[in-house]
Amino acid sequence: MPPSTTNGTAADAAEEYFQTNPPPKALASHQALAREFVQYHHETSPGRRMVLVTSGGTTVPLENQTVRFIDNFSAGTRGATSAEYFLKNGYAVIFLHRQFSLLPYSRHYSHSTNCFLDFMDEDGPEGGVVVRKEYQEKMRRVLEEYHYAKQNRLLLLLPFTTVTEYLFELRGLAEIMRPIGSGALFYLAAAVSDFFIPRERMEEHKIQSREDNTGGVGSGNSRQLVINLDPVPKFLNNLVQSWAPTGSMVVSFKLETDPNLLVAKAEQALQRYQHDLVIGNLLTTRKWEVVFVTRDGGEHWIRVPKTRRSKSFSGIEADIGTAERKHEEHHVDLEGGKVTEGMEIESLIIPELAYLHGETMKQRAEQSA
């Protein structure tokens, strides 16, 4: 990692956040599982790389006994899909995910337009249940990959719900991964809330909608709820400078809706937090293209070939390429070939990232020699 440049004010704000918010109840048990997972791979496969994939959105509770909360649209698709491709590329994966968001392998069926039961059939008079013939090949492939990951203890699933739970988990896991050194990769795909309600201002019980609801988080009449939110302290710099293993690689994501802002915002994030890579994507083209932005000014676009782009209800084909600022010709965008099924862009992102991680490990080994 680069030399420490942690801003004192930011570090103080982060420390105050941890002191004024209680740790999640499951933190100790999660850390015990993670510590055993890291130790197992560090001892049995010393050269194996390990990635912490964060996935899904974080909630912001409005009450201590939470009934209402603020959320975002993330279902965890990017994180769950990426975790599978990290496993294919030889990584051990800690998957820190929003509870009930998509999971590796089961995502193929839990997030399908079909009901899961549509994949099944009754088998003759005995009443057995089988996978329908047209789904057997793909389901067998997914099942084999899942069994391999499970039998070889390559995947650890740890859930969170709130932004506070996420940040406590992230800090603890980063510190536990220190024995992995430069073989550790942080792939921060979770959609983390930017604002929260401090505990001292949070209602204890459910906010009432009655006309006499005053004070606390919400105020106003029965038709209005006014909420004052504070910014969540920026923790990425803490992760880079303090929590993560020395020499590890930190990758964050930047999602924008304005193509004119995407690359510039990614560059600003790198300058501010001094990590290794920002993967930028537009809301309307995120299934088909991303851009790798590095601190040396690199802008590397990765695109799914046009013949392999799956349909997307939220995607706009005309937006592809509109965020490209430097018009480089260095694209992973191979045309041609028989169209079988839609290609997942993560199948291009993760091998490229694994290569960059390997090169980073070599450079840092040379620097420390």
Side-chain angles (χ1 to χ4, degrees):
M1 308 300 293
S4 177
T5 56
T6 303
N7 182 282
T9 303
D12 292 343
E15 184 59 33
E16 182 181 358
Y17 186 93
F18 286 117
Q19 290 178 355
T20 55
N21 289 278
K25 294 178 181 178
L27 183 63
S29 62
H30 286 180
Q31 289 183 338
L33 290 170
R35 196 170 288 109
E36 194 277 334
F37 185 81
V38 170
Q39 183 178 0
Y40 171 79
H41 288 287
H42 185 57
E43 293 178 353
T44 61
S45 306
R48 186 185 295 282
R49 302 181 203 176
M50 183 174 294
V51 59
L52 172 60
V53 176
T54 70
S55 183
T58 61
T59 69
V60 177
L62 302 186
E63 308 110 343
N64 281 321
Q65 297 187 48
T66 307
V67 174
R68 298 184 176 94
F69 55 84
I70 301 171
D71 203 356
N72 61 44
F73 77 94
S74 176
T77 306
R78 179 82 82 203
T81 308
S82 297
E84 291 183 24
Y85 288 105
F86 273 118
L87 289 162
K88 288 181 180 180
N89 280 268
Y91 282 77
V93 177
I94 299 177
F95 189 66
L96 181 62
H97 65 96
R98 164 74 176 274
Q99 189 174 34
F100 307 126
S101 66
L102 294 183
L103 297 176
Y105 304 115
S106 65
R107 71 180 176 91
H108 295 275
Y109 307 103
S110 63
H111 200 50
S112 171
T113 54
N114 300 78
C115 169
F116 178 74
L117 296 177
D118 290 334
F119 295 95
M120 304 297 181
D121 239 335
E122 293 183 59
D123 184 26
E126 298 299 323
V129 177
V130 297
V131 177
R132 293 177 63 178
K133 187 174 181 180
E134 61 265 37
Y135 302 118
Q136 285 183 4
E137 182 179 350
K138 181 179 179 180
M139 190 170 285
R140 182 183 295 110
R141 184 171 71 247
V142 172
L143 187 62
E144 287 174 353
E145 292 176 2
Y146 169 72
H147 282 163
Y148 180 84
K150 187 174 182 179
Q151 291 165 4
N152 290 277
R153 301 175 66 181
L154 292 170
L155 178 62
L156 176 63
L157 305 176
L158 298 174
F160 66 84
T161 302
T162 70
V163 63
T164 299
E165 290 172 355
Y166 170 83
L167 292 170
F168 269 98
E169 296 277 5
L170 178 62
R171 181 180 68 167
L173 292 171
E175 293 171 349
I176 288 169
M177 289 174 66
R178 285 178 180 170
I180 307 299
S182 64
L185 173 63
F186 294 83
Y187 185 82
L188 307 178
V192 183
S193 304
D194 292 315
F195 300 93
F196 79 114
I197 300 173
R199 186 172 178 82
E200 66 271 15
R201 296 212 315 266
M202 197 182 298
E203 294 278 2
E204 177 63 26
H205 300 287
K206 175 188 172 184
I207 299 171
Q208 299 299 311
S209 59
R210 298 189 308 270
E211 222 173 66
D212 60 353
N213 172 36
T214 57
V217 171
S219 61
N221 58 37
S222 60
R223 294 183 180 181
Q224 293 181 329
L225 177 65
V226 180
I227 302 172
N228 293 315
L229 302 171
D230 286 4
V232 173
K234 298 298 184 182
F235 288 87
L236 186 51
N237 193 269
N238 296 78
L239 175 66
V240 172
Q241 305 296 347
S242 304
W243 305 344
T246 300
S248 60
M249 185 175 184
V250 178
V251 178
S252 71
F253 280 79
K254 176 63 69 174
L255 175 72
E256 292 292 341
T257 58
D258 185 347
N260 296 314
L261 295 178
L262 182 62
V263 175
K265 286 285 190 178
E267 290 174 337
Q268 289 173 15
L270 286 169
Q271 184 177 5
R272 181 174 183 179
Y273 302 116
Q274 294 294 297
H275 56 304
D276 299 283
L277 174 69
V278 172
I279 300 179
N281 51 164
L282 284 178
L283 180 66
T284 54
T285 61
R286 67 190 187 280
K287 305 288 187 181
W288 304 317
E289 67 172 358
V290 300
V291 59
F292 282 21
V293 181
T294 53
R295 287 208 307 273
D296 62 5
E299 179 188 333
H300 170 34
W301 286 88
I302 295 177
R303 294 188 174 98
V304 173
K306 190 172 183 179
T307 55
R308 299 295 301 279
R309 289 173 192 159
S310 58
K311 292 182 180 180
S312 172
F313 293 112
S314 61
I316 301 175
E317 280 269 358
D319 285 351
I320 292 177
T322 58
E324 188 171 357
R325 191 179 65 187
K326 299 177 182 176
H327 303 288
E328 297 178 352
E329 296 300 324
H330 187 42
H331 300 156
V332 179
D333 191 0
L334 306 176
E335 291 291 350
K338 181 181 177 182
V339 178
T340 53
E341 58 180 313
M343 174 185 286
E344 295 174 317
I345 194 170
E346 291 80 11
S347 70
L348 302 176
I349 293 173
I350 304 308
E352 182 82 0
L353 186 54
Y355 170 77
L356 291 176
H357 186 200
E359 292 299 298
T360 301
M361 291 173 66
K362 291 178 186 177
Q363 292 172 6
R364 288 172 179 167
E366 292 171 357
Q367 291 170 358
S368 61

